[in-house]
Amino acid sequence: MNFTYPKTPSEAVSGALKMFGESHTTATIWKLSVAVLLASLAFVFYMLFTEGHAAFNTSSDGVNWGSAIATYVFFALISSGLTIIASLSTVFGFKQFYPIAKRCIWLAIVTLIAGFSVLALELGHPFRMLWAVPLGMQIHSPMFWMGVFYTIDLGLLLVKFYLMWKEDWDSPFSHFIGNAGFMAVILASGMLGLLFGSMAMRPMWFGSATSVFYILSGVLSGAAAIVFSVHLAYGFNTKNMPEPLRLLAQGDQLPKVFATLIGIVLLFLLTRIWVGLWSNIDGMEGFVALLKTPWFHIEVWVCLALPFLMMLTPSMQVDPKWQVRASFLVLLGMFIERLQFIVAGQNVPMFKGTWMNAVTPYTPSLTEWALVAVGISAALALYALGDRLFNLSDAPKVSMEAAGQLARG
Amino acid sequence: MAKWGMVIDLEKCVGCQACTVACGMENNRLPGENWQDVIFFTEGTYPSAQLKWFPRPCQHCENPSCMAVCPTGATYKTEDGVVLVDWDKCIGCKYCMVACPYGVRFYTDEKPLVAPDMRKVHEGKESHSWNPPWKMPDAREDWKHGVGIQPHDVVSKCTFCYHRISKAPKGTPDLDPQDPKLREFTPACVVTCAPGARFFGDLSNPESNVSRMIGDKRGVRLLDQLGNKPQVYYLTGDGGAVPSSRAINKKV
Ligand code: SF4
Ligand code: SF4
């Protein structure tokens, strides 16, 4: 897969169009995801024009925020996690991680765009948001700050990526952007957690631990996304990879970081459930309901505990096949987690009488599932585009040698 | 400035839902979207179970969490203590609905609560979400204060009938529907309440009937532990009770 990478915008456009006629893994992903994106977007728009948001299964009586918000959170946190992982090399000087830094930044950009797009389609008035939020200056609102920090984050990611594209890895300006980006992303993902964590009337969400959980589980999602996408980019065959990247992919450093992160997130989830089942504050009934759903168990046992064991087993952790399996499971698990977290927090109705169930059921509608498909296919399409156009495995030449040595041990 | 508040005497309330209906007519609500609701619940088990009811409008909190979370300032508090939604600023993010501990807010575009869907039977014009046959005069419509038939994709809630109370003569301590001069300025639910269980007045005036009743009869507030400090007070006397939990004795 020896691409000639375009140098000008017009070359980039023709490169993107050319991809429809090419046949390699990236081109296949591109064609498939563009097709899925167009189909799902068409369906969502059709439903929004004919039914409006009534096509969603959310309701004023129970779950106000449904799968669209969960999808947004899923992508926004993957993006934050990827930025933090990129910072390992660009901010903290762990040079062995340089070969994935550029890919991380690109993926962080595309997942954030995918997340924002889904959010915009969920909002009643997405265009009004563009002026009403900045003019409103509602500094009491966590949502206001989340918007501010994620906007700064996206801006810095774009600048950082541009610098990397121009092979400026090490200038003081590039370092400054890297550092600022790291701070912005911690604030953004922490504030996203606080958006839920500051809700005293929603005890399943309440507490600053929600912010910490969002940052950590974001890093885990980012780690899973980068492991998966690196292998995806090279057709799941490490032989195709450039040397430093191959050493990183076959070494045990990334899997060990990955396993540690899974362990931390598992511990967080299990202690949260423990506290939830023990405390009897009004509104915690959602935890009991959570334990009764199969999805919760799939998430904990299949999508987290199993990959945790895989990535701890020496023979599996260095085997790309198992890395891919583990990262796929973790991504699936994180999606389930976002949905469960958001839905369970609203399941116990706020203040309703006997005609309401004790726990309000919620299943996403077809339109809401189509919106999930919009998010996933948008992220994949943009990812493939970047992979074809921008040489995402690029890294500073000098550091590459150092990276090789470090990874060899 | 007045600080409008409501007192509901639970010993007098008979759970007839006349307030709910009056509010629906006055404010052009879609069937089922009750800004003012009477919530029925049971306490105890057979054979000693009791059926109870509890009228619940927006509490027009002193410290409204719905306003604190709103990213645009669409939800705001007026100088005279009423919490309103500016339909020209609301982006429909629903954060306020998530943050209100009393579940009193509604999003316009949802699956109909009652069939047939009245929005399809009486289709709305000019971005109105529907066109009810009994609608309030256009002159009263006021989107900045969340009054009228709401547009698409915004959040709506009880306004304490802002189109009425905001026209009351300044300095009035109580809006008493028995007084013919004040009747048209009194919230529709208060006017209509047959047993006279609802009172409306100025909480900042220690001489007002509502302030006195709250003091003399020990008015209590709903879920006060959450810190929203409602401006709706309930009098319980011997017979009534304010639910202390939102789950109202139900097993998961
Ligand atoms: S009851 Fe809810 S909607 Fe009304 S003011 Fe209080 S928090 Fe806001
Ligand atoms: S839905 Fe409207 S009123 Fe509610 S928080 Fe969002 S912008 Fe504010």
Side-chain angles (χ1 to χ4, degrees):
Chain A
M1 219 172 20
N2 275 324
F3 293 149
T4 41
Y5 295 105
K7 302 229 160 23
T8 61
S10 63
E11 275 177 36
V13 173
S14 66
L17 292 177
K18 244 195 273 160
M19 227 193 325
F20 284 108
E22 293 170 2
S23 61
H24 44 78
T25 323
T26 309
T28 314
I29 301 171
W30 165 250
K31 284 180 264 185
L32 275 179
S33 46
V34 168
V36 175
L37 179 62
L38 291 178
S40 49
L41 256 187
F43 180 69
V44 169
F45 275 121
Y46 172 75
M47 290 309 280
L48 282 179
F49 281 121
T50 51
E51 298 287 311
H53 284 85
F56 289 20
N57 279 352
T58 48
S59 95
S60 298
D61 270 347
V63 175
N64 311 141
W65 279 347
S67 63
I69 299 291
T71 310
Y72 161 69
V73 172
F74 173 70
F75 280 117
L77 289 179
I78 291 182
S79 167
S80 304
L82 285 160
T83 313
I84 295 173
I85 292 173
S87 308
L88 287 177
S89 50
T90 60
V91 176
F92 298 105
F94 294 105
K95 293 200 167 48
Q96 64 270 41
F97 293 111
Y98 251 130
I100 54 169
K102 189 170 171 188
R103 191 177 300 275
C104 274
I105 298 284
W106 178 253
L107 259 180
I109 294 172
V110 308
T111 45
L112 202 52
I113 292 175
F116 279 153
S117 316
V118 174
L119 182 67
L121 289 168
E122 198 270 349
L123 282 184
H125 291 279
F127 295 110
R128 187 177 288 176
M129 169 181 74
L130 299 177
W131 60 262
V133 176
L135 291 186
M137 279 308 281
Q138 291 302 305
I139 56 169
H140 287 293
S141 170
M143 193 180 275
F144 171 79
W145 289 111
M146 178 204 75
V148 169
F149 292 135
Y150 267 122
T151 309
I152 296 177
D153 176 35
L154 183 59
L156 290 170
L157 282 172
L158 289 169
V159 176
K160 185 73 190 175
F161 189 78
Y162 177 79
L163 293 173
M164 286 174 154
W165 190 39
K166 296 281 161 208
E167 295 185 27
D168 170 3
W169 301 85
D170 258 334
S171 72
F173 181 64
S174 181
H175 276 293
F176 167 76
I177 295 293
N179 293 348
F182 179 73
M183 290 204 309
V185 86
I186 295 282
L187 289 171
S189 48
M191 195 46 89
L192 181 55
L194 219 54
L195 198 132
F196 299 94
S198 45
M199 299 289 101
M201 66 299 290
R202 303 262 181 200
M204 289 184 71
W205 293 343
F206 185 51
S208 54
T210 303
S211 271
V212 180
F213 176 67
Y214 266 35
I215 296 174
L216 289 172
S217 61
V219 181
L220 174 63
S221 323
I226 192 65
V227 171
F228 191 76
S229 63
V230 163
H231 288 295
L232 187 66
Y234 292 95
F236 300 107
N237 189 347
T238 36
K239 287 203 193 72
N240 296 336
M241 294 179 182
E243 162 104 343
L245 185 61
R246 184 169 61 234
L247 289 171
L248 185 62
Q250 288 180 337
D252 61 1
Q253 297 198 357
L254 207 50
K256 276 183 179 158
V257 174
F258 195 29
T260 312
L261 287 166
I262 305 177
I264 295 174
V265 167
L266 257 181
L267 192 71
F268 231 110
L269 277 179
L270 294 177
T271 48
R272 189 162 72 93
I273 277 285
W274 187 265
V275 172
L277 295 177
W278 270 94
S279 335
N280 45 14
I281 304 179
D282 190 32
M284 292 286 231
E285 297 89 330
F287 279 110
V288 183
L290 205 56
L291 269 198
K292 288 186 185 159
T293 64
W295 289 110
F296 174 78
H297 295 280
I298 293 176
E299 174 194 339
V300 171
W301 309 117
V302 182
C303 296
L304 291 169
L306 199 62
F308 182 59
L309 294 179
M310 288 176 190
M311 290 300 97
L312 281 186
T313 313
S315 61
M316 289 186 187
Q317 61 182 194
V318 292
D319 183 341
K321 275 201 302 297
W322 288 103
Q323 291 181 4
V324 169
R325 283 174 197 151
S327 56
F328 179 77
L329 283 178
V330 167
L331 282 176
L332 179 65
M334 285 294 103
F335 182 77
I336 301 175
E337 165 59 23
R338 304 307 175 213
L339 191 55
Q340 296 252 342
F341 179 85
I342 286 170
V343 170
Q346 305 165 78
N347 256 340
V348 185
M350 268 311 186
F351 206 84
K352 303 286 165 182
T354 6
W355 55 81
M356 290 292 297
N357 295 323
V359 169
T360 326
Y362 163 78
T363 337
S365 66
L366 201 57
T367 313
E368 289 174 277
W369 281 120
L371 209 46
V372 175
V374 167
I376 295 174
S377 54
L380 278 175
L382 288 172
Y383 169 67
L385 196 65
D387 197 39
R388 172 69 179 77
L389 302 182
F390 298 123
N391 189 12
L392 295 182
S393 296
D394 199 14
K397 302 287 171 291
V398 195
S399 315
M400 294 281 261
E401 278 157 31
Q405 273 169 15
L406 274 169
R408 263 180 239 115
Chain B
M1 255 302 165
K3 179 165 109 185
W4 294 119
M6 193 179 281
V7 170
I8 303 177
D9 188 338
L10 295 177
E11 276 190 311
K12 286 191 183 158
C13 171
V14 296
C16 66
Q17 294 270 28
C19 47
T20 309
V21 176
C23 171
M25 299 304 279
E26 176 76 19
N27 294 294
N28 313 118
R29 307 309 308 139
L30 268 177
E33 273 188 14
N34 300 328
W35 279 359
Q36 143 63 44
D37 211 343
V38 180
I39 287 163
F40 285 81
F41 57 105
T42 46
E43 256 173 23
T45 41
Y46 178 82
S48 53
Q50 292 177 37
L51 177 66
K52 297 193 167 184
W53 55 89
F54 187 75
R56 186 228 42 195
C58 165
Q59 309 286 305
H60 291 273
C61 307
E62 248 169 72
N63 204 1
S65 42
C66 58
M67 178 175 95
V69 301
C70 177
T72 63
T75 291
Y76 66 104
K77 202 167 166 66
T78 60
E79 276 192 339
D80 47 359
V82 181
V83 178
L84 298 174
V85 187
D86 180 343
W87 285 333
D88 290 331
K89 274 194 196 163
C90 175
I91 58 172
C93 67
K94 305 184 209 158
Y95 199 7
C96 52
M97 295 170 67
V98 169
C100 166
Y102 305 102
V104 303
R105 291 180 158 250
F106 294 89
Y107 186 64
T108 321
D109 296 63
E110 275 178 1
K111 294 220 154 41
L113 291 159
V114 175
D117 187 350
M118 285 299 152
R119 287 166 298 195
K120 299 235 158 97
V121 180
H122 305 286
E123 266 194 61
K125 294 182 212 89
E126 291 156 11
S127 71
H128 283 107
S129 55
W130 69 312
N131 184 23
W134 54 84
K135 86 189 151 154
M136 69 163 63
D138 284 350
R140 286 208 151 174
E141 188 157 287
D142 177 4
W143 284 7
K144 295 257 170 263
H145 293 94
V147 173
I149 306 153
Q150 75 269 28
H152 288 282
D153 294 299
V154 295
V155 164
S156 73
K157 65 175 261 303
C158 153
T159 65
F160 265 174
C161 285
Y162 200 70
H163 53 290
R164 288 169 161 253
I165 61 167
S166 57
K167 306 219 167 56
K170 296 278 162 276
T172 319
D174 290 285
L175 295 178
D176 181 357
Q178 306 295 341
D179 180 343
K181 288 196 296 302
L182 295 175
R183 198 175 164 87
E184 63 177 304
F185 307 123
T186 311
C189 59
V190 180
V191 173
T192 220
C193 181
R198 287 180 179 244
F199 306 87
F200 195 84
D202 182 0
L203 299 175
S204 68
N205 182 345
E207 296 298 318
S208 67
N209 187 26
V210 280
S211 301
R212 284 223 210 97
M213 271 194 290
I214 292 165
D216 294 350
K217 300 191 175 172
R218 282 190 238 132
V220 289
R221 304 191 279 201
L222 181 59
L223 304 185
D224 219 3
Q225 71 274 17
L226 288 169
N228 271 33
K229 302 201 181 350
Q231 282 169 204
V232 173
Y233 286 77
Y234 294 90
L235 308 181
T236 56
D238 291 332
V242 173
S244 58
S245 82
R246 64 182 184 180
I248 318 184
N249 283 344
K250 278 211 249 167
K251 301 268 176 314
V252 174

